[in-house]
Amino acid sequence: MLKPDQKLVIHFFEQIDKLNGKMGHAVLRYSRNPITCAIDFSHSGSSTRDLLDFGPDVPVLASVDEAVRAGGEVLVLGMAPSGGRLPPEMIAEVDKAVAVGMSVINGLHEHLGSRYPDLADGQWIWDIRREPQDLGIAWARAAGLQNRRALLVGTDMAVGKMTAGLEIWQAALKQNIRADFLATGQIGILITGKGIPLDAIRVDYACGAVEKMVMEAGDAELALVEGQGSIVHPGSSSTLPLMRGSCPTHLVLCHRAGLTHLDTV
Amino acid sequence: MLKPDQKLVIHFFEQIDKLNGKMGHAVLRYSRNPITCAIDFSHSGSSTRDLLDFGPDVPVLASVDEAVRAGGEVLVLGMAPSGGRLPPEMIAEVDKAVAVGMSVINGLHEHLGSRYPDLADGQWIWDIRREPQDLGIAWARAAGLQNRRALLVGTDMAVGKMTAGLEIWQAALKQNIRADFLATGQIGILITGKGIPLDAIRVDYACGAVEKMVMEAGDAELALVEGQGSIVHPGSSSTLPLMRGSCPTHLVLCHRAGLTHLDTV
């Protein structure tokens, strides 16, 4: 799948300066792969640093063709359309990219792999939000581990649970702590190359999927479990499987300063 | 799909006297459809009342062919194999039933519909555990309803949440209370003909699916929300979406008398 030297193109579909561009924003901020350019129709001609105050400064182009000419190899769908569905105009862009030989990273619930049965050698479609195989039920086995397990929780969605976890992970590694970041969402999985897309897992298997991942990381002195959802949002059901699957020894509560009411869906 | 007068055949696959036969047991106990017979290889020649102390007394036969000759029209997979997978020998039985024109009710995670693309007129495969379409996020809208919403919760799995809910429902109807039973599992859905298979719904949509169902039943004076899983079992993650989606006004806690430790997975 994704190799460390493959050059990414982040397609923002006009969300580069909006909250819905958060997948692309996180790739800009944290991916270790080289990033060739971004694509955003409404901002072509500018560069990412004209629009964002983080990440590398790369050009914002107007089309997949331009991105390929610039050396892009892997198209990352960098935005989250409302409801998780891919509108036809976005699919048309992916069609173009696949036709010219690009690989594709798709973090949305709607999968693309079956759309492209005839890929070239080395070309791939990575639908990150696929339920893993061979999941079972959880049985609080993580409680028997001797390591520290810090679960990131948040008062709202999109309040920095992943970002805080990644920052703690990096800081721990710098201190020679044998730390691991256990991704539970599409962005974290893209950045670290492993993990589980918790929100795409059926309720029956949610705790078991978390437990399996935490058990497999049992050698890490500090396992940082990426959180999902919110401890108080009525639309979020991730907190319970995360708690039960990881049996955390520590919780890190993320809150946006000044936030007094739920802000997001 | 299932019509009220269609004659059921419950295939127990040698689980008729075991806990894993609970789907078939509940059909015996609560289905309003006529039940022609049961199938269980290890007990053929006996009758259900020889083995069980509830439900109608129907013969236990040895094969699908015998069941069809006895008038059976719909095969119900009445057991839950470990891990929710259908072993090949069970699929062979379904193949036989479909070949002679029976319809099939399958409550397992593994779906069968795509296996039989060429069904006769009026023949159907009901894979109950399919995620509903058009699910969205929950927003605690149920909290705005004026009715009573009683959620069944349990200290362990298989401690009678569904049974208690069905009994309360029947008792309420007898008292002319406008009550509704909102099924969240395959057995409740089979019995009532509607509901959501909560454990087959992706974590992202779990709260929203419950909320949608509860809102649609907003006219019921008493909405009895079938529970799933357990409030303390480490493998269960259903309680949170059930609480958030239904915003219950009442909880009914089910506990098996004498139980001091978790008993089931």
Side-chain angles (χ1 to χ4, degrees):
Chain A
M1 205 71 84
L2 181 64
K3 298 196 186 97
D5 59 345
Q6 285 191 296
K7 292 173 191 155
L8 307 184
V9 174
I10 305 170
H11 204 321
F12 279 100
F13 294 99
E14 309 182 79
Q15 302 293 320
I16 192 167
D17 54 350
K18 300 195 171 66
L19 190 62
N20 277 347
K22 76 174 186 174
M23 172 110 176
H25 296 156
V27 173
L28 274 174
R29 204 188 280 263
Y30 290 111
S31 177
R32 297 172 204 171
N33 279 67
I35 295 170
T36 301
C37 59
I39 300 176
D40 189 297
F41 303 139
S42 49
H43 291 285
S44 66
S46 59
S47 84
T48 51
R49 272 300 174 94
D50 298 334
L51 302 158
L52 306 167
D53 58 2
F54 53 80
D57 194 21
V58 299
V60 181
L61 305 182
S63 72
V64 167
D65 285 340
E66 283 182 47
V68 171
R69 282 200 296 275
E73 298 169 286
V74 177
L75 189 77
V76 179
L77 305 193
M79 76 304 135
S82 179
R85 306 272 176 227
L86 272 175
E89 61 270 26
M90 298 188 193
I91 294 179
E93 292 288 294
V94 180
D95 284 348
K96 279 185 212 166
V98 172
V100 296
M102 294 183 85
S103 292
V104 179
I105 297 177
N106 168 31
L108 303 170
H109 278 301
E110 198 165 347
H111 299 156
L112 290 170
S114 60
R115 187 174 172 87
Y116 309 104
D118 300 313
L119 298 172
D121 278 356
Q123 190 183 20
W124 41 261
I125 310 289
W126 185 10
D127 288 314
I128 298 180
R129 268 195 189 154
R130 281 199 185 279
E131 187 179 69
Q133 301 288 306
D134 300 324
L135 294 178
I137 201 160
W139 197 253
R141 291 181 299 152
L145 294 172
Q146 299 301 310
N147 62 359
R148 284 179 293 174
R149 297 174 301 283
L151 171 64
L152 284 292
V153 292
T155 52
D156 200 354
M157 299 171 184
V159 289
K161 297 181 297 294
M162 181 193 74
T163 303
L166 289 169
E167 294 293 339
I168 296 170
W169 181 38
Q170 297 303 327
L173 291 176
K174 276 188 196 147
Q175 294 179 50
N176 294 315
I177 296 168
R178 220 166 53 249
D180 201 355
F181 179 85
L182 307 187
T184 60
Q186 71 275 18
I187 301 172
I189 296 171
L190 169 54
I191 292 167
T192 64
K194 60 189 175 67
I196 56 165
L198 182 58
D199 62 11
I201 293 175
R202 286 170 285 178
V203 165
D204 234 13
Y205 300 126
C207 295
V210 174
E211 181 172 294
K212 184 165 185 263
M213 177 175 66
V214 171
M215 293 305 290
E216 287 169 359
D219 286 341
E221 285 175 275
L222 171 62
L224 291 151
V225 182
E226 182 191 358
Q228 292 296 325
S230 151
I231 55 171
V232 296
H233 193 294
S236 168
S237 50
S238 299
T239 305
L240 191 57
L242 285 164
M243 292 287 292
R244 290 186 168 170
S246 66
C247 302
T249 57
H250 297 72
L251 296 174
V252 179
L253 178 66
C254 300
H255 179 72
R256 184 179 296 140
L259 197 69
T260 57
H261 295 75
L262 290 173
D263 186 39
T264 62
V265 285
Chain B
M1 205 71 86
L2 181 62
K3 298 198 186 94
D5 59 345
Q6 285 192 294
K7 293 173 190 154
L8 306 184
V9 174
I10 305 171
H11 204 321
F12 279 100
F13 294 99
E14 309 181 78
Q15 302 294 320
I16 192 167
D17 53 351
K18 300 195 172 66
L19 190 61
N20 277 347
K22 76 173 186 174
M23 172 110 177
H25 296 157
V27 173
L28 274 174
R29 202 189 281 265
Y30 289 111
S31 177
R32 297 173 204 170
N33 280 68
I35 296 170
T36 301
C37 60
I39 300 177
D40 189 297
F41 304 137
S42 50
H43 292 285
S44 66
S46 59
S47 83
T48 51
R49 272 299 174 95
D50 297 335
L51 302 158
L52 305 168
D53 58 1
F54 53 80
D57 194 20
V58 298
V60 180
L61 305 182
S63 72
V64 167
D65 286 339
E66 284 182 48
V68 171
R69 281 199 296 274
E73 297 170 283
V74 176
L75 190 77
V76 179
L77 304 192
M79 76 304 136
S82 180
R85 307 273 176 225
L86 271 177
E89 61 271 25
M90 297 189 193
I91 294 179
E93 291 289 294
V94 180
D95 284 348
K96 279 185 214 165
V98 172
V100 296
M102 293 185 86
S103 292
V104 179
I105 298 177
N106 169 31
L108 303 170
H109 277 302
E110 198 163 345
H111 299 157
L112 289 170
S114 60
R115 188 175 172 85
Y116 308 104
D118 299 314
L119 298 173
D121 277 355
Q123 191 183 18
W124 42 260
I125 310 290
W126 185 9
D127 288 314
I128 298 180
R129 268 193 189 155
R130 280 199 185 281
E131 188 179 69
Q133 302 288 306
D134 301 323
L135 295 177
I137 200 160
W139 197 252
R141 290 181 297 153
L145 293 172
Q146 298 302 309
N147 62 359
R148 284 180 292 173
R149 297 175 300 285
L151 171 65
L152 283 293
V153 292
T155 53
D156 201 353
M157 299 171 184
V159 289
K161 298 180 297 294
M162 182 192 73
T163 303
L166 289 169
E167 294 293 340
I168 296 171
W169 181 39
Q170 298 303 328
L173 291 177
K174 276 187 197 149
Q175 294 179 47
N176 295 315
I177 295 168
R178 221 166 52 249
D180 201 356
F181 179 84
L182 307 187
T184 61
Q186 71 275 16
I187 302 172
I189 296 170
L190 168 54
I191 292 168
T192 63
K194 61 189 175 68
I196 56 165
L198 183 59
D199 60 12
I201 293 175
R202 286 170 285 178
V203 166
D204 234 11
Y205 300 126
C207 295
V210 175
E211 181 174 294
K212 184 165 184 264
M213 178 175 65
V214 171
M215 293 304 291
E216 287 169 359
D219 286 341
E221 283 175 275
L222 172 61
L224 290 152
V225 182
E226 182 191 354
Q228 291 296 324
S230 150
I231 55 171
V232 296
H233 193 294
S236 167
S237 50
S238 299
T239 306
L240 192 57
L242 284 163
M243 292 287 291
R244 289 186 168 172
S246 67
C247 303
T249 57
H250 297 71
L251 296 174
V252 179
L253 178 65
C254 300
H255 179 72
R256 183 180 297 139
L259 197 69
T260 57
H261 295 74
L262 289 174
D263 185 41
T264 62
V265 285

